[in-house]
Amino acid sequence: MAKVESFELDHNLVKAPYLRVAGVEKNDKGSTVQKYDLRFLQPNQDALPTGALHTLEHLLATYLRDELDGIIDISPMGCRTGFYLIKWEEDSPEVVVEALEKTLQRILDTEEVPAVSQISCGNYKDHSLFSAKEYAKNVLEKGLSRDPFERTFA
Ligand SMILES: [Zn+2]
């Protein structure tokens, strides 16, 4: 059975909100892909309601690309405690944290959710901008730790 890096993480020991480099993949053609966990909520204690998770997905997919180059994908974690970020090339976690903080700040000021029509979304009825903003605010107030196990902000 293949080993899945994130299944090796002890979810009882982490202290959310945090950003974590979950892996760096390099192939023999010289491509580098970096994977991050953007953990918003404490595992097994809280979870984003689907409306907030879905709206944050749309907003992060749009706004984080304005702040950070080389994004391949941002997807919700199935446990609904955060998001996976996959991007080209290696950036320092600090670059990604700053981009994410700016994006969350922008979410607090936004009045519309991109791509919420029946044509552009697979479940357009399940969105909550209000709830997305509340959880974004919560992450900013607690601060995004640069380390999953110790609350570290530099
Ligand atoms: Zn959607």
Side-chain angles (χ1 to χ4, degrees), residues 60-73:
L60 289 170
T62 308
Y63 296 163
L64 192 56
R65 282 185 166 86
D66 290 341
E67 306 295 338
L68 190 65
D69 288 334
I71 293 178
I72 296 170
D73 188 46

Side-chain angles (χ1 to χ4, degrees), residues 54-55 57-58 114-117 120-124 126-127:
H54 189 187
T55 296
E57 179 199 17
H58 280 232
V116 284
S117 72
S120 50
C121 177
N123 191 359
Y124 78 101
D126 193 17
H127 278 280

Side-chain angles (χ1 to χ4, degrees), residues 1-2 16 30 44 53 55 74 92 114-115 117 124 126 133 150-151:
M1 197 164 60
N44 298 309
L53 185 80
T55 296
I74 305 158
S92 79
S117 72
Y124 78 101
D126 193 17
K133 285 184 182 188
E150 303 278 341
R151 303 288 293 151

Side-chain angles (χ1 to χ4, degrees), residues 74-99:
I74 305 158
S75 304
M77 292 175 172
C79 59
R80 294 188 281 116
T81 61
F83 296 84
Y84 299 114
L85 167 67
I86 298 169
K87 59 182 289 302
W88 293 110
E89 307 302 338
E90 264 184 280
D91 274 321
S92 79
E94 196 54 36
V95 169
V96 179
V97 150
E98 280 174 20

